[in-house]
């Protein structure tokens, strides 16, 4: 897993930066990562917390 703010090279050779956030629900997390305008393809990972919130790690 990447550390938030870590630069990670993509398969295409681009450098992407990892970010993390915590959201109240899975729907809130999905809505966040699909907000326009999209800036190209990306990756996101979702993880549930015991308190019902959702952590998201995404590359931008």
């Amino acid at each position: 897993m990447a550390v938030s703010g870590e630069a990670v090279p993509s398969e295409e050779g681009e450098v992407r930066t990892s970010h993390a956030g915590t959201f109240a629900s899975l729907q809130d997390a999905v809505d966040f990562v699909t907000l326009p305008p999209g800036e190209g393809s990306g990756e996101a990972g979702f993880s549930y917390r015991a308190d019902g919130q959702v952590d998201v790690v995404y590359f931008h």
Side-chain angles (χ1 to χ4, degrees):
M1 185 165 136
V3 175
S4 186
E6 178 181 7
V8 178
S10 71
E11 291 180 8
E12 296 83 28
E14 302 171 336
V15 174
R16 296 183 179 167
T17 305
S18 64
H19 303 273
T22 302
F23 297 86
S25 69
L26 178 59
Q27 189 60 56
D28 289 343
V30 169
D31 290 346
F32 174 77
V33 298
T34 58
L35 283 173
E39 295 183 17
S41 62
E43 297 176 47
F46 301 83
S47 178
Y48 286 102
R49 292 177 159 218
D51 64 3
Q53 295 185 59
V54 177
D55 289 327
V56 178
V57 175
Y58 61 99
F59 295 93
H60 180 1

